[in-house]
Amino acid sequence: MSGMIEPVRFTTILEGLELVMGLGIHPVERAAPQRVIVSVRMQVVYPAPPADDRIDQVLDYDFVRSGIQALVAGRHFDLQETLCEAIAALCLADARVERVTVRTTKPDIYPDAAIGCEIERGR
């Protein structure tokens, strides 16, 4: 076994991405976009640690942020569950992502609580 380089795992995090988007089943939610907060944790596997300190050796989380923004720009989602699944699929499109946890939160529905959904998906 000596000389073999073990794969390494990192958790890449996009925390608290604030979107203004169409989400929900109620008439008021269909009438106007609302704030939605998205957080993503990706367990990413690399063949070796990034020795050269270069972005091309790791997952660039810009693709996750811009991908989520593009995903919600063109459509209304009825359910947070559907939105979470779509974001998870986006993340898992990168073969290095082994597992992903996606959380969405609607902070403005109730005056005293945020409501949300969280899923975990893997290969």
Side-chain angles (χ1 to χ4, degrees):
M1 269 314 228
S2 65
M4 298 268 307
I5 298 176
E6 289 289 316
V8 293
R9 286 170 172 78
F10 288 86
T11 302
T12 299
I13 301 166
L14 177 69
E15 184 75 35
L17 175 63
E18 187 169 319
L19 306 164
V20 177
M21 62 172 290
L23 178 64
I25 60 169
H26 300 293
V28 68
E29 294 178 304
R30 291 189 180 281
Q34 64 178 298
R35 281 194 316 144
V36 177
I37 311 300
V38 176
S39 295
V40 179
R41 296 176 62 89
M42 293 168 286
Q43 294 175 17
V44 190
V45 181
Y46 302 113
D52 297 331
D53 200 26
R54 291 197 333 264
I55 190 63
D56 62 0
Q57 295 183 322
V58 297
L59 183 141
D60 184 349
Y61 43 80
D62 281 352
F63 99 91
V64 178
R65 180 176 171 270
S66 60
I68 293 169
Q69 290 169 329
L71 192 65
V72 306
R75 66 171 281 196
H76 180 98
F77 285 83
D78 283 346
L79 304 176
Q80 291 195 63
E81 289 82 354
T82 310
L83 175 60
C84 284
E85 290 286 4
I87 294 169
L90 169 75
C91 296
L92 289 167
D94 188 306
R96 298 169 295 181
V97 178
E98 189 174 67
R99 292 197 74 72
V100 61
T101 303
V102 180
R103 174 185 293 176
T104 59
T105 306
K106 297 196 288 190
D108 302 323
I109 298 297
Y110 300 125
D112 53 0
I115 54 173
C117 177
E118 181 174 287
I119 65 168
E120 186 175 336
R121 296 292 180 262
R123 302 204 166 278

